[in-house]
């Protein structure tokens, strides 16, 4: 295990030669300098490893390229690095974005504030908004939350259980949360690392939102997730045509809830109950949602929940 007394920025790379150098340069331009970057490449076949080694040679005290076999997914790559690196705070970094200069400083400031309120022994998470851009960093939308009709205030456990409003590349977690997040060895029940961390923070500690767009969230053809405009006709038509995807997404949230209840027996009973909801009648499921205040952001998503949930 590698240890640092600074913020550990974890970057999961894969065939990122086009943008990764610009992202790392944006880290080096941060106003907060108390961080180290740890990168694990997931088997790139382009020039990404060469670029990473060049930065490591240039900044050997701040940039570290981790060796090891490919993990097969961004989720498992980030979780693997969380196991390999011990730090007081961890941030997740995507290879194709750009961080605005004050991102680390402002996120750390909010983390310190909630630590003073809740204590360092509690699992804590801070996240921010993002500015959506095209591949040339030209603005598409000033706020991802508005663009996707996401409510960053939906951070209660029962809200995060069914929809994640926390974008991984904006996140900082403390050591207490990282220790809980890596507890399970089998990660099949986890949808994504950021969602998993948000659920843990909301369930056992605290989640806090910084109302600033501190990342240029670059959209391009190679995005593994990307930002989609919720109220666009193209998006709505595609979702209606792909009803199976909606059902499968709901099933995945139930599996993740059941997995959290299994991993942490002290978790709220709502996770176990939601995990078993698939065996209930439609009327029982709808009553469960209403009783527990379970809702998504945006009427379109809630309509989908009523129809297919």
């Amino acid at each position: 295990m590698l240890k640092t007394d600074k913020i550990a920025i974890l970057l999961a790379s894969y065939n990122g030669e086009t943008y990764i150098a610009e992202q790392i340069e944006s880290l080096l331009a941060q106003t907060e300098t108390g961080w180290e970057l740890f990168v694990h490449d997931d088997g790139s076949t382009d020039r990404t490893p060469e670029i990473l080694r060049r930065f490591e040679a240039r900044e050997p005290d701040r940039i570290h390229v981790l060796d090891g076999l490919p993990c097969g997914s961004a989720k498992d790559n980030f979780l693997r690095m969380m196991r390999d690196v011990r730090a007081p705070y961890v941030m997740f970094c995507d290879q194709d974005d750009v961080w605005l200069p004050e991102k680390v400083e402002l996120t750390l400031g909010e983390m310190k504030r909630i630590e003073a309120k809740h204590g360092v022994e509690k699992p804590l998470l801070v996240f921010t908004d993002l500015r959506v851009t095209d591949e040339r960093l030209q603005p598409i939308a000033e706020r991802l939350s508005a663009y996707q009709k996401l409510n960053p205030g939906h951070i209660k456990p029962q809200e995060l259980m069914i929809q994640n409003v926390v974008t991984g590349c904006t996140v900082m977690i403390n050591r207490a949360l990282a220790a809980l997040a890596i507890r399970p060895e089998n990660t099949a029940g986890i949808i994504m690392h950021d969602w998993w961390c948000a659920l843990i923070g909301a369930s056992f500690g605290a989640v806090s939102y910084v109302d600033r767009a501190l990342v240029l969230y670059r959209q391009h053809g190679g995005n593994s997730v990307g930002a989609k405009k919720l109220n666009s006709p193209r998006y709505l038509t595609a979702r209606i045509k792909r009803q199976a995807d909606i059902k499968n997404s709901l099933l995945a949230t139930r599996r993740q809830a059941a997995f959290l209840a299994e991993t942490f027996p002290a978790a709220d009973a709502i996770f176990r109950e939601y995990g078993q909801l698939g065996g209930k009648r439609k009327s029982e499921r709808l009553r469960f949602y209403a009783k527990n205040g379970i809702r998504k952001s945006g009427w379109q998503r809630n309509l989908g929940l009523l129809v297919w949930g």
Side-chain angles (χ1 to χ4, degrees):
M1 177 179 287
L2 301 173
K3 295 183 180 181
T4 178
D5 59 357
K6 300 177 180 179
I7 300 164
I9 300 176
L10 308 183
L11 196 164
S13 64
Y14 178 71
N15 285 347
E17 65 176 3
T18 306
Y19 305 116
I20 197 167
E22 189 173 11
Q23 171 65 296
I24 295 176
E25 292 288 1
S26 79
L27 302 184
L28 294 170
Q30 290 294 302
T31 56
E32 168 61 53
T33 60
W35 55 266
E36 293 183 50
L37 174 64
F38 299 86
V39 190
H40 179 255
D41 187 74
D42 211 31
S44 292
T45 56
D46 65 0
R47 293 177 53 251
T48 299
E50 174 189 337
I51 295 169
L52 294 175
R53 293 298 183 187
R54 188 168 71 241
F55 273 104
E56 185 180 43
R58 171 179 152 188
E59 299 278 350
D61 296 328
R62 305 183 71 185
I63 298 176
H64 316 283
V65 180
L66 307 181
D67 295 324
L69 296 173
C71 300
S73 70
K75 173 190 77 175
D76 287 322
N77 200 349
F78 279 114
L79 288 169
R80 173 251 167 88
M81 286 189 284
M82 289 169 65
R83 293 187 181 94
D84 287 351
V85 180
R86 182 180 174 89
Y89 307 108
V90 169
M91 301 183 80
F92 304 127
C93 182
D94 291 345
Q95 64 187 5
D96 43 10
D97 300 327
V98 168
W99 287 14
L100 297 182
E102 66 274 24
K103 171 175 160 53
V104 177
E105 179 183 359
L106 293 178
T107 307
L108 178 61
E110 179 61 12
M111 176 62 77
K112 294 288 190 180
R113 188 190 72 79
I114 63 173
E115 277 189 334
K117 179 179 179 181
H118 299 283
V120 296
E121 74 282 354
K122 291 288 187 180
L124 304 174
L125 181 148
V126 175
F127 71 108
T128 80
D129 216 320
L130 313 90
R131 185 182 306 160
V132 184
T133 77
D134 64 16
E135 61 186 11
R136 297 179 301 278
L137 300 181
Q138 296 302 304
I140 295 174
E142 285 301 309
R143 295 295 186 100
L144 177 70
S145 57
Y147 188 69
Q148 293 195 312
K149 297 293 188 290
L150 292 172
N151 186 340
H154 283 186
I155 52 177
K156 295 177 181 178
Q158 69 268 29
E159 293 168 334
L160 285 168
M161 182 176 68
I162 198 165
Q163 181 186 31
N164 186 26
V165 298
V166 175
T167 305
C169 61
T170 74
V171 163
M172 174 184 282
I173 61 175
N174 67 352
R175 180 177 291 169
L177 199 157
L180 293 177
I182 61 174
R183 181 174 292 183
E185 292 185 8
N186 185 340
T187 64
I190 299 172
I191 296 175
M192 280 297 285
H193 60 286
D194 52 357
W195 201 339
W196 180 244
C197 288
L199 284 171
I200 293 171
S203 299
F204 306 111
V207 174
S208 184
Y209 171 64
V210 175
D211 190 15
R212 293 277 298 274
L214 298 175
V215 176
L216 301 183
Y217 191 40
R218 193 195 310 259
Q219 303 303 292
H220 57 86
N223 283 62
S224 61
V225 180
K228 300 173 181 64
K229 190 173 184 179
L230 179 65
N231 59 0
S232 68
R234 182 178 179 182
Y235 174 84
L236 294 172
T237 302
R239 294 297 283 174
I240 292 171
K241 289 181 178 179
R242 299 170 64 182
Q243 297 179 25
D245 289 352
I246 298 174
K247 295 177 182 178
N248 289 335
S249 295
L250 284 168
L251 287 174
T253 64
R254 291 175 191 155
R255 286 193 296 268
Q256 183 169 247
F259 186 66
L260 186 136
E262 176 186 343
T263 305
F264 305 107
D268 193 294
I270 195 172
F271 288 100
R272 183 182 67 256
E273 293 168 9
Y274 180 62
Q276 298 170 348
L277 205 61
K280 305 290 185 180
R281 295 191 300 271
K282 178 68 172 289
S283 60
E284 293 178 282
R285 298 199 300 270
L286 294 179
R287 281 198 297 270
F288 178 83
Y289 300 145
K291 175 185 175 182
N292 294 285
I294 294 173
R295 66 193 190 282
K296 293 187 173 187
S297 296
W299 66 265
Q300 300 94 333
R301 296 187 182 96
N302 283 308
L303 178 61
L305 182 62
L306 290 174
V307 174
W308 292 291

